[in-house]
Amino acid sequence: MIDIARIEAASFRLAGHALRTPLLGSSFLNEIAGRRVWVKAECLQHTGSFKFRGGWAAVSALSAEARQKGVIAYSSGNHAQGVALAAQRHGAPCVIVMPSDAPRLKLANTRAYGAEVVTYDRARENRDAIGARMAALRGLTLIKPYDEPEVIAGQGTCGLELAEQVTEIGLRTADVLVCCGGGGLTAGVALALESRAPGLRVRPVEPEGFDDTARSLAAGEVRRNARLSGSVCDAIVTPVPGAITFPINRRLCGPGLVVTDDQALMAVALAFKRLKIVLEPGGAVALAAALFHPGQIAGEDVIAIATGGNIDAALFQTALSRFGDL
Amino acid sequence: MIDIARIEAASFRLAGHALRTPLLGSSFLNEIAGRRVWVKAECLQHTGSFKFRGGWAAVSALSAEARQKGVIAYSSGNHAQGVALAAQRHGAPCVIVMPSDAPRLKLANTRAYGAEVVTYDRARENRDAIGARMAALRGLTLIKPYDEPEVIAGQGTCGLELAEQVTEIGLRTADVLVCCGGGGLTAGVALALESRAPGLRVRPVEPEGFDDTARSLAAGEVRRNARLSGSVCDAIVTPVPGAITFPINRRLCGPGLVVTDDQALMAVALAFKRLKIVLEPGGAVALAAALFHPGQIAGEDVIAIATGGNIDAALFQTALSRFGDL
């Protein structure tokens, strides 16, 4: 059971360890969007994405015995880093199962945070099965990337902060666009806002071709993606909404939004130029939706959670070469 | 007279208008520096640099009559944008005198904030004379970039925030490295810390060939730079320490540090990769000193103020191409 009390408990354990990320804005972005755009810069969080919140919440909730045996996680890279750093700071052994085609930076960083990295072929192998097998073999605790109550509670702390921040700026109603993979951040933030800022409505944003959550919300039941790879938004390519996250999101979220890969890269270039933050494409889809799909959004203000910034230099240069003049 | 009361008054006027910028860190940067590195990310401030603080402090201190007549400033680009946006939000007309070779982005942004931009030749013309002449002609109030008490007080609000933030993380002593042009931010932060965090010592950082403040501090009297242009760090190329700022900095600062243009670009690339922030070279020299001159710094912690992020996409790509693998 995940509720506001569990998110508050996670927030208490995260205090002094996670960064309170700022809410940024730019009149240039407001002009493009036709309304005020607020960007919660989770790319500035430790490990470069919000995933550190869930990783820390999960590792810090373990018994001393479980912590000593260690943890295992599977991830395309951001959950990997979040769990690896949280485990390292708790002195817990850590194994991370990552796709062999994950961005180089994410693979290197996860190893640098002290984790043992095991790679697999995203197209042929099932990461859940690999994770479960290794967990059983070594007595490791599996920390799933989104279908895990403590992880959802940890991501929800981002929503608690956002509720405080909108109060500070006097904002009462807005759509809150959240980059969505398995739906853990979306669910955590939606639960936090339901209690703390009920005038805000969460809406998941996904890349074209990987809009399982948008289609599932529209259908009222789970829909799968046809493909498992092929988007520049590697961080949020997941096969299907989570068994725990989807019922929460179905109850609390507004309709999903979908952006193209090029729109995500345009948002990367504009975040560079106008906000001075580094986003990866999967961390920029919410901003892309705010900027390029204004007709699908209600109200004078919109909030976009910019979820991560772990992008290889070459891809970032491509985004600037193609869209730096926007 | 500039003292802590004046900085606090500026802080009161800035509340709700300037961003409280976060203090970032990365274990990867700690490893390079051999100590803990804290980065105050002023590039996230409105207009992409700390200069918005001074601009707002100065414009908001004017009488209604002076505000109605308007303001004028001369600047390579960051003070320009800070004053232009502050004037726009106060409904004050604004003229900005900028060098014709200022980065395109800075020129375009200053115009976009509603200012009338007048360009001059940095090598042949004297911006002070141009500014004074136009101010007299139109009854505009001249807002100097650093030798102006309200501007120094505004920049000092960055130091007030830093004093709060070091208290939160339990840090009592450290060198605070500040990117230094005319010395306004350096002086404002030094005054704020003298009162609020006396265990912190400010040290200016400059690019090679433009180390007028470092040499002046060493000599105990003002020294000029031989050249007026030729560094990639355009934001902090000034001819000579300020008449108001230098006595403050001589009293309060430790020795200056000097970095090469390449070290500044390396810091730009590392801030991209490890902190997910966008820095311009002149805004990265303090971080460069923290990373590449560890022998000249005392203590287990060092703080670098990352002062600005207004860099053209092409130069940023050059920094990533050359140093993205660091």
Side-chain angles (χ1 to χ4, degrees):
Chain A
M1 172 62 179
I2 312 145
D3 57 12
I4 188 69
R6 196 156 187 171
I7 297 172
E8 281 175 342
S11 176
F12 185 79
R13 298 199 304 282
L14 278 157
H17 301 290
L19 187 81
R20 187 193 203 248
T21 56
L23 201 56
L24 307 176
S26 157
S27 55
F28 296 100
L29 298 184
N30 298 349
E31 203 168 310
I32 295 171
R35 53 170 60 85
R36 272 191 300 187
V37 180
W38 304 91
V39 177
K40 182 139 173 80
E42 279 295 301
C43 55
L44 304 176
Q45 190 54 262
H46 305 309
T47 71
S49 92
F50 73 94
K51 292 282 192 177
F52 177 74
R53 297 178 186 269
W56 188 278
V59 174
S60 62
L62 294 176
S63 69
E65 190 191 4
R67 221 178 280 173
Q68 200 172 12
K69 285 187 181 162
V71 298
I72 182 169
Y74 42 83
S75 158
S76 68
N78 283 332
H79 179 60
Q81 293 175 76
V83 170
L85 181 59
Q88 185 181 48
R89 297 213 175 149
H90 282 87
C94 180
V95 177
I96 304 284
V97 185
M98 295 179 76
S100 47
D101 64 344
R104 280 194 312 147
L105 180 65
K106 293 177 176 177
L107 286 161
N109 287 357
T110 304
R111 290 190 179 102
Y113 292 132
E116 176 188 341
V117 172
V118 178
T119 57
Y120 74 99
D121 182 329
R122 200 195 285 253
R124 294 187 307 108
E125 298 177 275
N126 181 320
R127 69 181 188 179
D128 300 60
I130 297 172
R133 195 172 61 235
M134 291 195 67
L137 207 63
R138 302 202 203 172
L140 305 169
T141 300
L142 176 63
I143 300 179
K144 294 185 183 176
Y146 45 86
D147 251 351
E148 158 59 49
E150 284 303 344
V151 168
I152 297 171
Q155 320 306 28
T157 63
C158 176
L160 289 185
E161 286 179 14
L162 182 58
E164 288 174 12
Q165 289 167 317
V166 295
T167 304
E168 286 165 15
I169 59 173
L171 182 61
R172 298 180 70 92
T173 61
D175 278 358
V176 178
L177 312 186
V178 182
C179 306
C180 182
L185 178 67
T186 307
V189 170
L191 285 166
L193 296 180
E194 180 191 22
S195 288
R196 293 283 176 270
L200 304 189
R201 176 179 68 156
V202 168
R203 301 184 60 187
V205 185
E206 294 164 298
E208 207 171 60
F210 302 90
D211 57 343
D212 52 313
T213 295
R215 287 183 295 110
S216 300
L217 288 174
E221 58 178 32
V222 166
R223 295 282 186 267
R224 299 189 75 84
N225 287 324
R227 294 178 293 153
L228 290 175
S229 65
S231 169
V232 73
C233 303
D234 63 283
I236 54 174
V237 166
T238 42
V240 64
I244 300 178
T245 56
F246 182 63
I248 298 168
N249 293 333
R250 185 173 52 189
R251 182 170 70 81
L252 295 174
C253 293
L257 294 130
V258 180
V259 305
T260 66
D261 274 7
D262 272 5
Q263 288 172 334
L265 291 173
M266 285 190 256
V268 168
L270 284 164
F272 158 82
K273 187 172 180 177
R274 298 309 184 187
L275 299 173
K276 314 305 176 189
I277 56 175
V278 176
L279 297 183
E280 59 185 288
V285 297
L287 176 58
L291 297 174
F292 307 124
H293 294 278
Q296 295 179 46
I297 297 165
E300 289 177 10
D301 293 81
V302 64
I303 298 164
I305 303 187
T307 49
N310 289 310
I311 182 171
D312 285 335
L315 179 57
F316 198 78
Q317 288 175 267
T318 299
L320 294 190
S321 294
R322 291 185 58 202
F323 302 116
D325 286 332
L326 281 182
Chain B
M1 172 64 180
I2 311 147
D3 57 13
I4 188 70
R6 197 156 186 171
I7 297 172
E8 281 174 343
S11 175
F12 185 79
R13 297 200 305 281
L14 278 157
H17 301 290
L19 189 80
R20 186 193 203 246
T21 57
L23 201 57
L24 307 176
S26 158
S27 54
F28 296 100
L29 298 184
N30 298 349
E31 203 168 309
I32 295 171
R35 55 171 59 85
R36 270 191 302 185
V37 180
W38 304 91
V39 177
K40 182 140 174 79
E42 280 294 301
C43 56
L44 304 176
Q45 190 54 263
H46 304 308
T47 71
S49 92
F50 73 95
K51 291 281 192 177
F52 178 74
R53 297 178 186 269
W56 188 278
V59 175
S60 63
L62 295 176
S63 69
E65 190 191 3
R67 218 179 281 173
Q68 201 172 10
K69 285 187 181 161
V71 297
I72 182 168
Y74 41 85
S75 158
S76 68
N78 283 332
H79 179 60
Q81 293 175 77
V83 170
L85 182 59
Q88 185 181 47
R89 296 212 176 150
H90 282 87
C94 180
V95 176
I96 304 284
V97 184
M98 296 180 75
S100 47
D101 64 343
R104 279 195 312 147
L105 181 65
K106 293 177 176 178
L107 286 161
N109 287 357
T110 304
R111 290 190 179 103
Y113 292 132
E116 177 188 342
V117 172
V118 177
T119 56
Y120 73 100
D121 183 331
R122 200 195 286 255
R124 294 188 307 108
E125 299 176 273
N126 181 318
R127 67 181 189 179
D128 300 59
I130 297 172
R133 196 172 60 234
M134 293 195 67
L137 207 63
R138 302 200 202 174
L140 305 170
T141 301
L142 176 63
I143 300 178
K144 292 186 185 176
Y146 46 86
D147 251 351
E148 156 60 49
E150 285 302 343
V151 169
I152 297 171
Q155 320 306 28
T157 63
C158 175
L160 288 185
E161 286 178 15
L162 182 59
E164 289 174 12
Q165 289 168 318
V166 296
T167 305
E168 287 166 15
I169 59 174
L171 182 61
R172 298 179 69 93
T173 61
D175 277 359
V176 178
L177 312 185
V178 181
C179 307
C180 183
L185 179 66
T186 307
V189 170
L191 286 166
L193 296 180
E194 180 191 23
S195 288
R196 293 282 177 272
L200 304 189
R201 176 178 68 156
V202 168
R203 300 184 60 187
V205 185
E206 294 164 299
E208 207 171 62
F210 301 89
D211 58 344
D212 51 313
T213 295
R215 287 183 294 109
S216 301
L217 288 174
E221 59 179 32
V222 166
R223 295 281 186 264
R224 300 189 74 85
N225 287 323
R227 292 177 295 152
L228 290 174
S229 65
S231 167
V232 72
C233 302
D234 64 283
I236 54 174
V237 167
T238 42
V240 64
I244 301 179
T245 56
F246 182 63
I248 298 169
N249 293 333
R250 186 173 50 189
R251 182 170 70 81
L252 295 174
C253 293
L257 295 127
V258 180
V259 304
T260 66
D261 274 7
D262 272 6
Q263 288 172 335
L265 290 172
M266 285 191 256
V268 168
L270 284 164
F272 159 83
K273 188 172 180 178
R274 299 309 184 188
L275 299 173
K276 313 306 177 190
I277 56 174
V278 175
L279 297 183
E280 59 185 291
V285 296
L287 176 59
L291 296 174
F292 307 125
H293 295 278
Q296 295 179 46
I297 298 165
E300 288 177 10
D301 292 81
V302 64
I303 298 164
I305 303 187
T307 48
N310 289 311
I311 182 171
D312 284 336
L315 179 58
F316 198 78
Q317 288 174 267
T318 299
L320 295 190
S321 294
R322 292 186 57 203
F323 302 117
D325 286 333
L326 282 181

